[in-house]
Amino acid sequence: MQHTVQFSGIIPPVSTIFTAEGGLDKNGTAALIDDLITAGVDGLFFLGSGGEFSQLSVEERKAIAAFAIDHVAGRVPVLIGTGGTNARETIALSQHAAQAGADGLVVINPYYWKVSEQNLIRYYQQVAGSVDLPVLLYNFPALTGQDLSPALVKTLVEACPNIVGIKDTIDSVAHLRSMIHTVKAAHPHFSVLCGFDDHLFNTLLLGGDGVISASSNFAPQLSVRLLQAYRDGDLAQAAHYHQTLLQIPQIYQLDTPFVNVIKEAIVLCGRPLSTHVLPPAGPLDDARKAQLKALLQQLKLC
């Protein structure tokens, strides 16, 4: 069994770039992938919330996963989000990602029904058992309506040897701390990655492993440099980057879903790409674009 952390550091949840007609913009997505790898990220996560997985059909998700894996071509580890509202679809997507060459899967808990603990454990056993790949849990209770508690996560890790980490997208230091103390203390190879930019420093200080957060699409250097400073033992420099990351979440309040905000920020930070988003998301209006630009300028990001 693998006893070192497999997925750590800065792993952007990559925005899927679409054409104006709503198809995959391969050139745009490829350019974004190349930019992020050049920026020094430690891996890439496709088809998360920011990748608009919930607005895509199964066939579209398969095509995007295959394209992304192929374009990354082993330069960094690739994680594919395969979760959804039902087990059969998640298993089909997981097996496809495995065949396409993914390095790991990220699986959110089903988000329509509240699922009993027994059914949730069975669900993850079925999904994890359907592939040989490492699986990261994806906890986003604000959107799923159901928290993956540290105690439940520990049970899942003990039931499924290939569950190796979690993306804990929760605005709570206490939850991250408990995840590290409850799960990682018992299973040191387990990777705890926060899902919010402003928790990266906390997560590292608590003994966690890194971040999967939206700002690394448009300002990967902030998180990459924070992590490097932390690893070098330069906490003052890490805190300097943390001060900027603390301000970033206000950007996401400009719209819901904020996938459009991320794409506009990528453009404002110097990479001209299509900002088309899939409905029910819509374009960012001019007033909010101006607010976004002002915020990014204030943070010296564009």
Side-chain angles (χ1 to χ4, degrees):
M1 189 178 171
Q2 183 94 1
H3 282 287
T4 53
V5 170
Q6 283 173 273
F7 300 100
S8 66
I10 311 306
I11 305 175
V14 184
S15 295
T16 310
I17 307 303
F18 297 105
T19 64
E21 296 72 45
L24 175 64
D25 179 343
K26 291 185 175 179
N27 291 341
T29 301
L32 179 57
I33 288 169
D34 294 344
D35 281 354
L36 294 174
I37 293 173
T38 302
V41 302
D42 300 287
L44 294 170
F45 168 38
F46 297 93
L47 297 165
S49 307
E52 298 176 64
F53 83 91
S54 57
Q55 287 93 282
L56 292 160
S57 70
V58 169
E59 292 313 312
E60 286 171 322
R61 289 174 71 175
K62 286 180 179 177
I64 291 165
F67 174 78
I69 293 162
D70 187 53
H71 187 75
V72 173
R75 289 177 284 170
V76 294
V78 170
L79 294 167
I80 300 291
T82 59
T85 51
N86 73 83
R88 292 186 304 165
E89 193 170 280
T90 301
I91 288 166
L93 286 164
S94 298
Q95 290 175 337
H96 171 270
Q99 287 154 7
D103 296 291
L105 308 174
V106 181
V107 183
I108 199 156
N109 43 312
Y111 49 87
Y112 176 75
W113 285 103
K114 298 270 195 307
V115 182
S116 72
E117 192 160 303
Q118 190 183 357
N119 284 332
L120 203 50
I121 292 165
R122 186 187 299 116
Y123 170 80
Y124 275 114
Q125 283 178 316
Q126 288 171 341
V127 173
S130 74
V131 289
D132 290 328
L133 285 181
V135 173
L136 282 84
L137 306 172
Y138 184 176
N139 188 38
F140 200 165
L143 293 188
T144 63
Q146 187 166 11
D147 179 44
L148 299 178
S149 70
L152 173 68
V153 170
K154 186 168 184 270
T155 302
L156 287 171
V157 172
E158 285 160 3
C160 307
N162 59 326
I163 291 182
V164 301
I166 189 165
K167 176 187 195 296
D168 205 16
T169 305
I170 185 163
D171 198 8
S172 162
V173 179
H175 199 279
L176 288 159
R177 181 174 58 231
S178 182
M179 196 65 72
I180 291 161
H181 288 178
T182 304
V183 188
K184 197 172 175 68
H187 304 280
H189 70 282
F190 186 78
S191 177
V192 177
L193 300 155
C194 62
F196 286 124
D197 308 279
D198 49 336
H199 285 308
L200 170 58
F201 197 30
N202 301 332
T203 301
L204 296 172
L205 289 169
L206 287 165
D209 300 285
V211 68
I212 300 179
S213 68
S215 75
S216 45
N217 277 287
F218 57 84
Q221 71 282 0
L222 275 179
S223 299
V224 168
R225 287 173 187 163
L226 189 158
L227 178 66
Q228 193 55 56
Y230 176 81
R231 286 180 174 163
D232 291 343
D234 189 346
L235 293 188
Q237 190 62 28
H240 166 74
Y241 295 118
H242 178 56
Q243 275 186 303
T244 305
L245 284 167
L246 282 172
Q247 300 302 324
I248 279 184
Q250 56 191 319
I251 287 170
Y252 309 143
Q253 291 162 7
L254 291 171
D255 202 6
T256 306
F258 59 73
V259 289
N260 53 359
V261 180
I262 304 305
K263 292 181 185 182
E264 295 292 350
I266 294 169
V267 173
L268 286 167
C269 289
R271 164 56 70 182
L273 290 172
S274 161
T275 58
H276 185 83
V277 289
L278 303 181
L284 199 63
D285 62 42
D286 289 341
R288 287 177 182 158
K289 274 188 209 174
Q291 280 178 277
L292 173 62
K293 187 172 185 177
L295 278 165
L296 290 171
Q297 285 174 338
Q298 191 187 322
L299 298 174
K300 299 183 171 56
L301 297 177
C302 75

